[in-house]
Amino acid sequence: MLTGEPLCDPQFIDRLKFAREKIKARIEVYTNGHLLSKEIIDELKDITDLHISVSLNGVIPETRKAMMGLDDFLQVLQMMKYMEEVKLPYRTTMVAYPEIRLVEMQEFVDKGGMVIQYQSWCGEMYPYKRKRWTCCSRALTTMTINYKGEAVLCCFDPFGKMVFGDLNKETMEEIWTSAKHRQLQTMHLQGRGAELPMCESCTEG
């Protein structure tokens, strides 16, 4: 579950439990942690093979507020401590925004966090033009579904600019094997992903 804040959905935990019944794969949930509570964590800990990724984006409250507009640093730390207590697997991440000092990023890593590259988000965050071949694993192995049920390019396409199909009308297999999706995969298999309209502006892959 990636892109956006999943805990804004009042039915999210019920959806997780439903997914757990239907699939055997590990489930990862990405959250900014703002809406985490002990009650929610108590429900999450009972879902097997569930892993939480908390976007903390700083080692001090001021950095988190500057990057995310959230004044809840200590609250999120408390919830992370509680996840440790109840043994709910989680990790913490921060994005390497240009505004954040390298010394803070190093401290974040030293404390067990993971720093993620500051991506272009297919040109949404900053202009970028690929100068080399690309064979992106996301294009070859991943299907990303947005909140409307549309299969979009990947998690770097949050606005659904490239849509391959609609799960309200088609099966996953039909979308995965469609001509449009096969073209995406073929281009990346050939190392020519950069020739695609959105992939040419992406720093991933």
Side-chain angles (χ1 to χ4, degrees):
M1 310 299 296
L2 182 61
T3 308
E5 177 48 54
L7 293 176
C8 285
D9 179 2
Q11 300 182 64
F12 181 65
I13 292 178
D14 289 335
R15 297 184 199 277
L16 274 182
K17 292 177 179 177
F18 178 78
R20 180 74 295 154
E21 291 175 4
K22 300 298 180 181
I23 60 175
K24 296 180 180 179
R26 165 174 162 167
I27 298 175
E28 292 190 14
V29 172
Y30 291 72
T31 174
N32 59 32
H34 180 71
L35 296 176
L36 281 174
S37 66
K38 288 187 176 181
E39 292 73 21
I40 288 175
I41 291 170
D42 283 340
E43 290 205 67
L44 294 176
K45 71 178 175 58
D46 293 329
I47 301 174
T48 58
D49 205 10
L50 175 68
H51 295 251
I52 309 296
S53 182
V54 181
S55 302
L56 193 61
N57 280 321
V59 295
I60 55 175
E62 292 78 9
T63 304
R64 178 172 168 88
K65 187 172 183 179
M67 296 300 101
M68 305 180 75
L70 295 172
D71 194 12
D72 60 355
F73 186 81
L74 296 180
Q75 170 194 326
V76 175
L77 286 186
Q78 289 177 348
M79 292 304 100
M80 288 163 50
K81 183 177 180 181
Y82 187 66
M83 285 194 284
E84 289 181 13
E85 291 175 5
V86 300
K87 296 180 170 52
L88 174 60
Y90 80 94
R91 68 177 181 182
T92 54
T93 65
M94 74 181 299
V95 175
Y97 291 102
E99 299 90 339
I100 301 178
R101 297 174 305 146
L102 286 175
V103 64
E104 183 170 356
M105 294 185 200
Q106 184 60 57
E107 184 179 351
F108 192 82
V109 172
D110 291 343
K111 291 183 175 181
M114 182 176 76
V115 175
I116 300 172
Q117 179 184 350
Y118 179 50
Q119 301 282 6
S120 68
W121 284 72
C122 296
E124 291 289 342
M125 296 300 294
Y126 56 85
Y128 180 78
K129 183 76 172 179
R130 292 195 75 92
K131 297 180 180 179
R132 62 180 179 85
W133 65 272
T134 178
C135 180
C136 183
S137 62
R138 296 173 192 267
L140 301 177
T141 64
T142 303
M143 179 182 286
T144 300
I145 311 299
N146 67 14
Y147 70 98
K148 293 186 288 186
E150 297 170 334
V152 298
L153 175 63
C154 69
C155 57
F156 290 113
D157 181 21
F159 302 112
K161 291 186 175 180
M162 184 179 289
V163 177
F164 296 97
D166 185 346
L167 283 177
N168 295 297
K169 304 173 183 176
E170 306 160 85
T171 66
M172 293 180 70
E173 183 177 4
E174 287 171 340
I175 295 172
W176 189 259
T177 58
S178 67
K180 186 175 182 180
H181 192 261
R182 286 296 191 208
Q183 181 189 25
L184 169 79
Q185 293 187 306
T186 298
M187 294 286 280
H188 277 276
L189 279 170
Q190 295 174 349
R192 298 167 54 213
E195 297 176 28
L196 295 165
M198 295 182 67
C199 299
E200 70 175 355
S201 302
C202 185
T203 42
E204 182 77 359

